[in-house]
Amino acid sequence: MCGAVVDPIRDLLSLPSVRRWLGASIMGRLASAMAPVAMLAIGDTALGSVAAGARLAAIVTMAVAVFGPIRGRQLDALGVTHGLRRAGWQSAVAVGVFGAMLQWRPDPAVLNTLSVVLGVALAPLPAEFRALLPDLVADHQLPAASNLDAVAFE
């Protein structure tokens, strides 16, 4: 039974385009996965309170939830590749601004606003990586590719 599941995934991983997608997907989604931890550290460092960091993490999470559908519609309008590139740059800039803000003791309202910006930037990344799959694999490989995507994201 286990071999029946592993073989399609092994076949997928033999494709160079899928290996590149998997690496890019993991790296691209790392910001989403680590944002709550980073917000805790930022809250503790910049505001002197882990509770403030938890608030920042909650703001990022809420922004992802609220703006995910809106950003998904933008993805449909822009196209997957352009949308993915745009979201990647936006999230990189947002993370960079957070890093720069740690040089000073920023006002909590500024960090709250940056948390919303980061959440908006991160919102479309998982769906955009998933949307690339049908162009990379054959139709019969999509179920295995979806399994691989779920494992990589979770």
Side-chain angles (χ1 to χ4, degrees):
M1 183 70 174
C2 185
V5 173
V6 173
D7 290 338
I9 292 177
R10 187 177 296 136
D11 291 343
L12 281 175
L13 292 175
S14 70
L15 301 171
S17 60
V18 172
R19 288 195 307 266
R20 283 191 302 269
W21 169 85
L22 183 61
S25 178
I26 290 171
M27 292 304 295
R29 292 171 174 178
L30 193 58
S32 296
M34 295 306 295
V37 176
M39 295 301 106
L40 289 173
I42 287 170
D44 190 34
T45 302
L47 303 173
S49 167
V50 175
R55 183 187 68 241
L56 296 175
I59 291 170
V60 170
T61 303
M62 291 291 290
V64 167
V66 169
F67 289 97
I70 296 167
R71 295 296 305 261
R73 278 186 240 121
Q74 288 177 343
L75 165 68
D76 289 340
L78 291 173
V80 176
T81 305
H82 180 69
L84 185 58
R85 199 173 296 129
R86 181 177 168 184
W89 277 109
Q90 289 171 344
S91 63
V93 168
V95 169
V97 170
F98 256 115
M101 291 303 294
L102 294 180
Q103 301 289 330
W104 305 279
R105 287 266 181 208
D107 185 60
V110 172
L111 291 179
N112 291 344
T113 303
L114 285 174
S115 295
V116 172
V117 170
L118 180 60
V120 170
L122 293 175
L125 288 174
E128 289 181 3
F129 277 111
R130 199 170 300 115
L132 290 172
L133 282 176
D135 293 335
L136 297 177
V137 299
D139 288 343
H140 73 279
Q141 293 175 310
L142 271 175
S146 295
N147 290 341
L148 184 62
D149 175 63
V151 169
F153 188 55
E154 300 301 324

PDB file of all heavy atoms in Angstrom, residues 87-109:
ATOM      1  N   ALA A  87       4.122  39.196  -5.268  1.00  0.00           N
ATOM      2  CA  ALA A  87       3.916  38.870  -3.855  1.00  0.00           C
ATOM      3  C   ALA A  87       5.242  38.565  -3.162  1.00  0.00           C
ATOM      4  O   ALA A  87       5.440  38.929  -1.998  1.00  0.00           O
ATOM      5  CB  ALA A  87       2.962  37.687  -3.719  1.00  0.00           C
ATOM      6  N   GLY A  88       6.145  37.911  -3.862  1.00  0.00           N
ATOM      7  CA  GLY A  88       7.467  37.633  -3.293  1.00  0.00           C
ATOM      8  C   GLY A  88       8.222  38.904  -2.965  1.00  0.00           C
ATOM      9  O   GLY A  88       8.802  39.044  -1.879  1.00  0.00           O
ATOM     10  N   TRP A  89       8.212  39.851  -3.894  1.00  0.00           N
ATOM     11  CA  TRP A  89       8.891  41.127  -3.641  1.00  0.00           C
ATOM     12  C   TRP A  89       8.211  41.903  -2.518  1.00  0.00           C
ATOM     13  O   TRP A  89       8.878  42.493  -1.666  1.00  0.00           O
ATOM     14  CB  TRP A  89       8.923  41.982  -4.914  1.00  0.00           C
ATOM     15  CG  TRP A  89      10.053  41.609  -5.811  1.00  0.00           C
ATOM     16  CD1 TRP A  89       9.964  40.971  -7.022  1.00  0.00           C
ATOM     17  CD2 TRP A  89      11.438  41.812  -5.579  1.00  0.00           C
ATOM     18  NE1 TRP A  89      11.202  40.762  -7.536  1.00  0.00           N
ATOM     19  CE2 TRP A  89      12.136  41.284  -6.681  1.00  0.00           C
ATOM     20  CE3 TRP A  89      12.165  42.377  -4.546  1.00  0.00           C
ATOM     21  CZ2 TRP A  89      13.528  41.306  -6.771  1.00  0.00           C
ATOM     22  CZ3 TRP A  89      13.550  42.413  -4.629  1.00  0.00           C
ATOM     23  CH2 TRP A  89      14.214  41.885  -5.732  1.00  0.00           C
ATOM     24  N   GLN A  90       6.891  41.907  -2.516  1.00  0.00           N
ATOM     25  CA  GLN A  90       6.176  42.637  -1.466  1.00  0.00           C
ATOM     26  C   GLN A  90       6.469  42.069  -0.089  1.00  0.00           C
ATOM     27  O   GLN A  90       6.700  42.819   0.866  1.00  0.00           O
ATOM     28  CB  GLN A  90       4.669  42.609  -1.736  1.00  0.00           C
ATOM     29  CG  GLN A  90       4.254  43.455  -2.901  1.00  0.00           C
ATOM     30  CD  GLN A  90       2.803  43.242  -3.298  1.00  0.00           C
ATOM     31  OE1 GLN A  90       2.175  42.261  -2.911  1.00  0.00           O
ATOM     32  NE2 GLN A  90       2.273  44.161  -4.083  1.00  0.00           N
ATOM     33  N   SER A  91       6.476  40.753   0.035  1.00  0.00           N
ATOM     34  CA  SER A  91       6.757  40.162   1.345  1.00  0.00           C
ATOM     35  C   SER A  91       8.206  40.393   1.747  1.00  0.00           C
ATOM     36  O   SER A  91       8.496  40.647   2.920  1.00  0.00           O
ATOM     37  CB  SER A  91       6.398  38.681   1.365  1.00  0.00           C
ATOM     38  OG  SER A  91       7.174  37.954   0.447  1.00  0.00           O
ATOM     39  N   ALA A  92       9.131  40.351   0.790  1.00  0.00           N
ATOM     40  CA  ALA A  92      10.538  40.613   1.106  1.00  0.00           C
ATOM     41  C   ALA A  92      10.736  42.047   1.598  1.00  0.00           C
ATOM     42  O   ALA A  92      11.463  42.293   2.569  1.00  0.00           O
ATOM     43  CB  ALA A  92      11.416  40.351  -0.120  1.00  0.00           C
ATOM     44  N   VAL A  93      10.083  42.997   0.947  1.00  0.00           N
ATOM     45  CA  VAL A  93      10.186  44.398   1.372  1.00  0.00           C
ATOM     46  C   VAL A  93       9.571  44.573   2.763  1.00  0.00           C
ATOM     47  O   VAL A  93      10.150  45.246   3.625  1.00  0.00           O
ATOM     48  CB  VAL A  93       9.517  45.338   0.339  1.00  0.00           C
ATOM     49  CG1 VAL A  93       9.353  46.744   0.883  1.00  0.00           C
ATOM     50  CG2 VAL A  93      10.334  45.356  -0.947  1.00  0.00           C
ATOM     51  N   ALA A  94       8.422  43.957   3.001  1.00  0.00           N
ATOM     52  CA  ALA A  94       7.770  44.078   4.311  1.00  0.00           C
ATOM     53  C   ALA A  94       8.651  43.515   5.420  1.00  0.00           C
ATOM     54  O   ALA A  94       8.800  44.129   6.485  1.00  0.00           O
ATOM     55  CB  ALA A  94       6.412  43.379   4.301  1.00  0.00           C
ATOM     56  N   VAL A  95       9.266  42.365   5.179  1.00  0.00           N
ATOM     57  CA  VAL A  95      10.163  41.774   6.171  1.00  0.00           C
ATOM     58  C   VAL A  95      11.387  42.670   6.369  1.00  0.00           C
ATOM     59  O   VAL A  95      11.841  42.881   7.504  1.00  0.00           O
ATOM     60  CB  VAL A  95      10.566  40.340   5.763  1.00  0.00           C
ATOM     61  CG1 VAL A  95      11.694  39.814   6.630  1.00  0.00           C
ATOM     62  CG2 VAL A  95       9.370  39.418   5.838  1.00  0.00           C
ATOM     63  N   GLY A  96      11.914  43.220   5.288  1.00  0.00           N
ATOM     64  CA  GLY A  96      13.058  44.125   5.386  1.00  0.00           C
ATOM     65  C   GLY A  96      12.744  45.379   6.188  1.00  0.00           C
ATOM     66  O   GLY A  96      13.563  45.845   6.990  1.00  0.00           O
ATOM     67  N   VAL A  97      11.571  45.933   5.981  1.00  0.00           N
ATOM     68  CA  VAL A  97      11.166  47.122   6.740  1.00  0.00           C
ATOM     69  C   VAL A  97      11.031  46.786   8.222  1.00  0.00           C
ATOM     70  O   VAL A  97      11.453  47.567   9.081  1.00  0.00           O
ATOM     71  CB  VAL A  97       9.853  47.717   6.179  1.00  0.00           C
ATOM     72  CG1 VAL A  97       9.297  48.794   7.084  1.00  0.00           C
ATOM     73  CG2 VAL A  97      10.090  48.275   4.777  1.00  0.00           C
ATOM     74  N   PHE A  98      10.489  45.619   8.521  1.00  0.00           N
ATOM     75  CA  PHE A  98      10.417  45.190   9.926  1.00  0.00           C
ATOM     76  C   PHE A  98      11.817  45.136  10.529  1.00  0.00           C
ATOM     77  O   PHE A  98      12.047  45.612  11.635  1.00  0.00           O
ATOM     78  CB  PHE A  98       9.760  43.816  10.056  1.00  0.00           C
ATOM     79  CG  PHE A  98       8.350  43.865  10.540  1.00  0.00           C
ATOM     80  CD1 PHE A  98       7.319  43.465   9.727  1.00  0.00           C
ATOM     81  CD2 PHE A  98       8.056  44.303  11.813  1.00  0.00           C
ATOM     82  CE1 PHE A  98       6.015  43.508  10.173  1.00  0.00           C
ATOM     83  CE2 PHE A  98       6.762  44.346  12.273  1.00  0.00           C
ATOM     84  CZ  PHE A  98       5.735  43.944  11.446  1.00  0.00           C
ATOM     85  N   GLY A  99      12.757  44.559   9.797  1.00  0.00           N
ATOM     86  CA  GLY A  99      14.132  44.482  10.285  1.00  0.00           C
ATOM     87  C   GLY A  99      14.737  45.851  10.512  1.00  0.00           C
ATOM     88  O   GLY A  99      15.412  46.088  11.520  1.00  0.00           O
ATOM     89  N   ALA A 100      14.480  46.763   9.585  1.00  0.00           N
ATOM     90  CA  ALA A 100      15.008  48.126   9.740  1.00  0.00           C
ATOM     91  C   ALA A 100      14.371  48.841  10.922  1.00  0.00           C
ATOM     92  O   ALA A 100      15.038  49.623  11.618  1.00  0.00           O
ATOM     93  CB  ALA A 100      14.770  48.917   8.451  1.00  0.00           C
ATOM     94  N   MET A 101      13.105  48.577  11.173  1.00  0.00           N
ATOM     95  CA  MET A 101      12.403  49.244  12.277  1.00  0.00           C
ATOM     96  C   MET A 101      12.974  48.842  13.636  1.00  0.00           C
ATOM     97  O   MET A 101      12.818  49.570  14.615  1.00  0.00           O
ATOM     98  CB  MET A 101      10.903  48.927  12.239  1.00  0.00           C
ATOM     99  CG  MET A 101      10.175  49.547  11.076  1.00  0.00           C
ATOM    100  SD  MET A 101      10.338  51.337  10.979  1.00  0.00           S
ATOM    101  CE  MET A 101       9.471  51.834  12.443  1.00  0.00           C
ATOM    102  N   LEU A 102      13.623  47.704  13.710  1.00  0.00           N
ATOM    103  CA  LEU A 102      14.172  47.263  14.990  1.00  0.00           C
ATOM    104  C   LEU A 102      15.375  48.096  15.421  1.00  0.00           C
ATOM    105  O   LEU A 102      15.817  48.005  16.561  1.00  0.00           O
ATOM    106  CB  LEU A 102      14.537  45.783  14.934  1.00  0.00           C
ATOM    107  CG  LEU A 102      13.342  44.851  14.776  1.00  0.00           C
ATOM    108  CD1 LEU A 102      13.807  43.407  14.742  1.00  0.00           C
ATOM    109  CD2 LEU A 102      12.329  45.052  15.884  1.00  0.00           C
ATOM    110  N   GLN A 103      15.896  48.904  14.510  1.00  0.00           N
ATOM    111  CA  GLN A 103      16.996  49.804  14.860  1.00  0.00           C
ATOM    112  C   GLN A 103      16.534  50.866  15.848  1.00  0.00           C
ATOM    113  O   GLN A 103      17.325  51.395  16.614  1.00  0.00           O
ATOM    114  CB  GLN A 103      17.547  50.494  13.598  1.00  0.00           C
ATOM    115  CG  GLN A 103      18.069  49.555  12.555  1.00  0.00           C
ATOM    116  CD  GLN A 103      19.367  48.902  12.985  1.00  0.00           C
ATOM    117  OE1 GLN A 103      20.143  49.481  13.726  1.00  0.00           O
ATOM    118  NE2 GLN A 103      19.581  47.680  12.526  1.00  0.00           N
ATOM    119  N   TRP A 104      15.259  51.201  15.787  1.00  0.00           N
ATOM    120  CA  TRP A 104      14.681  52.225  16.649  1.00  0.00           C
ATOM    121  C   TRP A 104      13.642  51.583  17.547  1.00  0.00           C
ATOM    122  O   TRP A 104      13.312  50.421  17.385  1.00  0.00           O
ATOM    123  CB  TRP A 104      14.009  53.311  15.798  1.00  0.00           C
ATOM    124  CG  TRP A 104      14.942  53.905  14.797  1.00  0.00           C
ATOM    125  CD1 TRP A 104      15.873  54.868  15.024  1.00  0.00           C
ATOM    126  CD2 TRP A 104      15.042  53.560  13.413  1.00  0.00           C
ATOM    127  NE1 TRP A 104      16.556  55.133  13.866  1.00  0.00           N
ATOM    128  CE2 TRP A 104      16.071  54.349  12.861  1.00  0.00           C
ATOM    129  CE3 TRP A 104      14.383  52.654  12.590  1.00  0.00           C
ATOM    130  CZ2 TRP A 104      16.442  54.269  11.537  1.00  0.00           C
ATOM    131  CZ3 TRP A 104      14.756  52.566  11.268  1.00  0.00           C
ATOM    132  CH2 TRP A 104      15.770  53.379  10.755  1.00  0.00           C
ATOM    133  N   ARG A 105      13.121  52.344  18.444  1.00  0.00           N
ATOM    134  CA  ARG A 105      11.997  51.873  19.269  1.00  0.00           C
ATOM    135  C   ARG A 105      10.719  52.382  18.613  1.00  0.00           C
ATOM    136  O   ARG A 105      10.212  53.450  18.956  1.00  0.00           O
ATOM    137  CB  ARG A 105      12.102  52.436  20.691  1.00  0.00           C
ATOM    138  CG  ARG A 105      13.178  51.800  21.497  1.00  0.00           C
ATOM    139  CD  ARG A 105      12.573  50.675  22.276  1.00  0.00           C
ATOM    140  NE  ARG A 105      13.584  50.038  23.101  1.00  0.00           N
ATOM    141  CZ  ARG A 105      13.507  48.785  23.437  1.00  0.00           C
ATOM    142  NH1 ARG A 105      12.503  48.059  23.041  1.00  0.00           N
ATOM    143  NH2 ARG A 105      14.420  48.253  24.185  1.00  0.00           N
ATOM    144  N   PRO A 106      10.188  51.623  17.648  1.00  0.00           N
ATOM    145  CA  PRO A 106       9.019  52.112  16.914  1.00  0.00           C
ATOM    146  C   PRO A 106       7.773  52.133  17.796  1.00  0.00           C
ATOM    147  O   PRO A 106       7.642  51.376  18.753  1.00  0.00           O
ATOM    148  CB  PRO A 106       8.868  51.124  15.776  1.00  0.00           C
ATOM    149  CG  PRO A 106       9.521  49.888  16.261  1.00  0.00           C
ATOM    150  CD  PRO A 106      10.611  50.308  17.198  1.00  0.00           C
ATOM    151  N   ASP A 107       6.889  53.015  17.420  1.00  0.00           N
ATOM    152  CA  ASP A 107       5.599  53.110  18.075  1.00  0.00           C
ATOM    153  C   ASP A 107       4.810  51.824  17.790  1.00  0.00           C
ATOM    154  O   ASP A 107       4.879  51.296  16.675  1.00  0.00           O
ATOM    155  CB  ASP A 107       4.848  54.335  17.517  1.00  0.00           C
ATOM    156  CG  ASP A 107       3.540  54.575  18.222  1.00  0.00           C
ATOM    157  OD1 ASP A 107       3.576  54.793  19.444  1.00  0.00           O
ATOM    158  OD2 ASP A 107       2.499  54.535  17.544  1.00  0.00           O
ATOM    159  N   PRO A 108       4.066  51.306  18.768  1.00  0.00           N
ATOM    160  CA  PRO A 108       3.270  50.099  18.503  1.00  0.00           C
ATOM    161  C   PRO A 108       2.320  50.243  17.323  1.00  0.00           C
ATOM    162  O   PRO A 108       2.084  49.274  16.592  1.00  0.00           O
ATOM    163  CB  PRO A 108       2.505  49.894  19.812  1.00  0.00           C
ATOM    164  CG  PRO A 108       3.355  50.524  20.859  1.00  0.00           C
ATOM    165  CD  PRO A 108       4.008  51.703  20.179  1.00  0.00           C
ATOM    166  N   ALA A 109       1.782  51.431  17.085  1.00  0.00           N
ATOM    167  CA  ALA A 109       0.871  51.636  15.952  1.00  0.00           C
ATOM    168  C   ALA A 109       1.598  51.412  14.626  1.00  0.00           C
ATOM    169  O   ALA A 109       1.011  50.869  13.674  1.00  0.00           O
ATOM    170  CB  ALA A 109       0.265  53.028  15.997  1.00  0.00           C
TER     171      ALA A 109
END
